[in-house]
Amino acid sequence: MRFTKPSWVMHKDSAKDTKRLSIFSVHVHPDGSRIATGGLDAKVRIWSTKPILNSASERSNRPPKSLCTLSMHTGPVLTVRWAHSGRWLASGSDDEIVMIWDLDPSGRGKVFGSNEINIENWKPLKRLPGHESDVTDIAWAPEDRYLASVGLDSNVIVWCGYTLERIRKLDQHNGFVKGVCFDPVGEFMATQSDDKSVKIWRTTDWGLEAEIRKPFEDSPGSTFFRRLSWSPDGAHITASNATNNRGFVFIAAVITRGLWTSEISLVGHENTVEVASYNPHIFLRNPSAPIATSNICSVVALGADDRSVSIWQTKSARPLIVAREVFERQIMDLSWSRDGLTLYAASSDGTVAVFDFDAEELEGIAPYGAQAQYLQKFGFVPPPVPEGFSHGTSCEGEHAPSASRITPPPSPTPRASTQASQSGFGTSAVNGGEQINRLVAKKSKKKHVQPVLMSSIPSASTTLSKVAPSVSGRGPVNGNALGISTSERRPLAARAAPVSRSVSPAPSMRGFDADIEMGGSMDMEVPIDSLDQGSSPEMPKGKRKASVMELDDRPVRPRTLGGDRNRESVAVREIARVGETWDALPALRSAEVLPSPPVLTFEDVLEGRNSEGDGPTEVLFVSSKQTQWLDYLPSPVVALTASPSFCAVATQDGSVNIYSHTGRRIMSTLSLGSPCAMIHSCKSALLLLSTLGRLSCINVKSQSAYFPPVSVDSLISTPNCTILSATIRPNGAPVIQCSSGITYSYDPQLSSWIKLSERWWAEGSDVWQGRQRSNREVVASIEGAISTTAGTSEHRERPEWWNTALTLGHLESKMHASKALDSPTEYKQALLLYAKKIADEGFRAKAEELIRDLFGPVFWRPGRDDWCPTIVGMLKRDLLREVLSVFARSKTLTKLALDWQDTLKKATNDEST
């Protein structure tokens, strides 16, 4: 065995770079190339393992020791867990948030609050709110089907491992929940709580299978965690923080599957056991003997508050290894590498220790194929991966990634070919393979239409089948031996789980429209068995016999305008301007500031078909190649858009027609005075930008304008400045992105254009996160779009306060932008980062001003004061509580925060009375 303790693996104090902060969690990547740690500094850090295990690599710093620092959490990070595929990283913090991180291969940047540079960039993929207190542990189910999180709110939350949507909230614990794990085949989930119980949950219906209390009745409630682990053969759970002899002997309890009893104890630690972690391999006691139950065993590691780590082998009464006084404080977490030969241990003293074994030291390791053969022999057959998903790809075998380089499999994406054929979706290619994005007004069962890009529609039909093991095993009950008896082991009975279908949201390909292209569920076609079988030779397959209720004079299909026409495939290309064209006065013709879109033959579900001859222009709404409605227009179509509420078509003569989804004109035809250069819709809001640079934002539902038409001339007054995109938010706020690297919106109350974000902040802000891919939040998407158009700036010497000033200015600007675009999530996130930055720098005056702004008048009454108690739909005083929590954890503003917390509490009590 080789033991090492790399001094450079550390979480630093922002005020004192040399002071170590506690490390609460460590987890090794499935390919073994890196580890992730979470600590008291509210950061997740990713480190290379090669410099840890190879002294030559450590000296040469190749690969670099520190790969990435993730700083989106606002509280200490208590748990980090890689997905089994290695594609995603999950982290949980005492800011009550579970964060999912995804690798951005092209992104790099500075670490927030320091001068460190990220070698690689792990961007936040999704934020999972739901807990009401600290998140203490996280576990991924086999094949990443589920993600479970537990916390100090006494709740267990289960998330879908593919869509990351919340599935179930389990609230049957009566105390802090501090540990969670899944069994090897994903049939059961185990949780351990301060209510002195371990609960076993069925993953088929999330019902309670069993509750184990006996070994925990006298366990102390002072441990930071109660991390438990399931053996790789599925036969046992080793749970931490158990006791014998009325609490005088500290043990780890071994729970037998099926019987759900604990008659086996691991005795030897002098203080409470904090964490248990099984080696992922099944081991052979005699490598030369055949694989049989009598020849297999498991290895489990324990970490305790007595600062020691012990490693045990099943069917052995004594531990293999005991490492004493390795740390100065208690062990917080343990993690085995997938090859089963390296154990990582993290301590609250801020260090990580590594135990590197030879295969002979842990007896013979059964190869993975042999393990699968053993599990199947006794009925442990894991359910198949849902068709089309690659998120659960194994890292083993000949396709395993290199140890020096991470190669994550693609994100969960279903096979597009079958979905395209069933739904009529596809892509066109012109000019040597250039893709044409098609705007789809998709019709759902609720008569809802959602525009999406047909060239990037992921969808999935996931069938999750489970097995229900029924195993009984007995171990020796005399003393502290850990054993497995196979005389009563029975095969597992398989149960079929109900079919579950889920959809993965499609990332946007159009910049930063966070409401339409960046999320939202899509209805899927679900086959019905009764329609797939013919009932008689005379009846075609898929038809049903007519019942008495159906024998009336109603037509088979409702009659629609143009419904008897089948859709024809037409090549999309630019055509000559025919028919009526827009002919402006000479004075106006010279005032054009934006180019007019070319006249095309659009092929789309909402389709504008322009004739090359003297024929009329057609507008069609097509579903499944069948025309639902059509209309004829006197001028060629140049642009069109669709939202869940309406469809809009702009023509070359400057007119705009707005339709419902049945083809009814719901507004008078608008006349812009010039052709429409850009058009966009979002829910009930419609944006129109004419070639003369006049911007109109209309509320179609109320048939009114959000503000009078305004000119965009001032935005593109600089040379070679153009408008790259123009979109609209649900609240009617326009978002105009310019090639100058600045994004604008219009504020009707100020009657002025305002800057939402600009390239300037990338010059020194610590919270600028460029190249955000698939981000659902609008302000982050704006910054990502700006980064894609930004050039590289040369390095220059900056003043001393440069980064601090730009970081504070950027966060203040981000809060104003979130308010203008009605994005409460981003406003709160920016506010808490702003508060943390103020606290780190010790700016007391700024902190007091922020507190007073959120607190408002002490005796505030509605209608009597100008102060508004809410911002972006959130109560200011609720936000103040979280800001004061951030200040209270700082070293400079603690007294200020405590005083205001008392004041806020008194004001709340006075209002309630």
Side-chain angles (χ1 to χ4, degrees), residues 614-637:
D614 297 330
T617 297
E618 296 181 349
V619 176
L620 305 93
F621 180 75
V622 182
S623 178
S624 300
K625 297 185 178 181
Q626 192 68 35
T627 303
Q628 301 299 314
W629 57 265
L630 64 84
D631 193 17
Y632 297 100
L633 298 177
S635 181
V637 174

Side-chain angles (χ1 to χ4, degrees), residues 18 145 156 213 354 398 401 500 523 560 670 685 808:
T18 58
R145 286 175 173 81
V156 182
R213 286 189 171 274
V354 184
E398 59 181 356
S500 171
D523 292 333
T560 57
L670 305 178
L808 291 174

Side-chain angles (χ1 to χ4, degrees), residues 357-436:
F357 299 94
D358 294 325
E360 295 77 13
E361 294 179 284
L362 300 176
E363 305 298 344
I365 299 180
Y368 270 98
Q371 292 194 43
Q373 177 185 357
Y374 169 81
L375 291 174
Q376 293 179 8
K377 176 181 178 181
F378 292 100
F380 286 89
V381 182
V385 180
E387 182 179 358
F389 282 107
S390 58
H391 181 48
T393 305
S394 173
C395 291
E396 295 298 325
E398 59 181 356
H399 302 292
S402 170
S404 62
R405 178 174 170 272
I406 183 171
T407 54
S411 295
T413 306
R415 296 174 182 173
S417 58
T418 57
Q419 295 294 337
S421 62
Q422 292 175 2
S423 306
F425 292 163
T427 57
S428 298
V430 294
N431 299 330
E434 180 182 358
Q435 283 193 340
I436 303 298

